[in-house]
Amino acid sequence: MDVPAGLVESAFFKLLGCRLHSLGDGVAQVALGLEPPLRNRGNKLHGGALFSLVDIAMGLACSSVHGFDQQSATIECKINYIRAVSDGEVLCTARVIHPGRRTLVVEAEVMQGDKLVAKAQGTFAVL
């Protein structure tokens, strides 16, 4: 999918240090490296950074379905954390599982290599 960078890479996307891995057909993959500003007091990937990664990937997956000319907003996002991340990079894969006209349901997995870090479910509204 060929989309101008300004519509994919928001200022917050860049601030976190996200990297678009792939995008298209209701699926988005976004990578995030564990940099010092993203660490919590326990020196692990901060939950807020992980939540933001999931929300970004889910939003991009939604836009790949309803078009980048429309906006969507997160109605609900739930994350189940499986394990902490202390180094390296994580990859979030978000998939639209219900592409409704006004709402979309999305699932996501965050992986570090072959290890599951988190699973998420979200609902987005097309504005």
Side-chain angles (χ1 to χ4, degrees):
M1 173 173 274
D2 190 25
V3 180
L7 295 178
V8 174
E9 301 175 355
S10 68
F12 190 61
F13 178 102
K14 293 175 185 176
L15 180 67
L16 283 176
C18 292
R19 183 176 47 82
L20 183 63
H21 190 267
S22 64
L23 176 64
D25 299 325
V27 179
Q29 289 188 311
V30 180
L32 180 64
L34 181 55
E35 299 298 328
L38 301 179
R39 294 179 182 272
N40 63 18
R41 293 177 306 173
N43 211 25
K44 309 290 187 205
L45 179 61
H46 193 283
L50 190 60
F51 183 89
S52 295
L53 169 66
V54 167
D55 192 51
I56 287 168
M58 286 181 163
L60 287 171
C62 289
S63 292
S64 75
V65 169
H66 63 64
F68 281 85
D69 58 330
Q70 294 187 31
Q71 294 183 344
S72 59
T74 308
I75 296 173
E76 178 182 33
C77 186
K78 297 179 182 178
I79 298 180
N80 297 314
Y81 296 97
I82 310 298
R83 59 183 286 277
V85 176
S86 56
D87 61 4
E89 182 177 86
V90 293
L91 179 67
C92 179
T93 302
R95 287 181 180 79
V96 174
I97 60 171
H98 175 71
R101 271 190 33 206
R102 301 295 297 158
T103 59
L104 300 100
V105 178
V106 187
E107 289 184 340
E109 288 186 344
V110 180
M111 304 289 290
Q112 185 179 35
D114 61 349
K115 295 178 181 161
L116 183 64
V117 172
K119 290 186 74 102
Q121 306 82 35
T123 306
F124 288 73
V126 179
L127 303 178

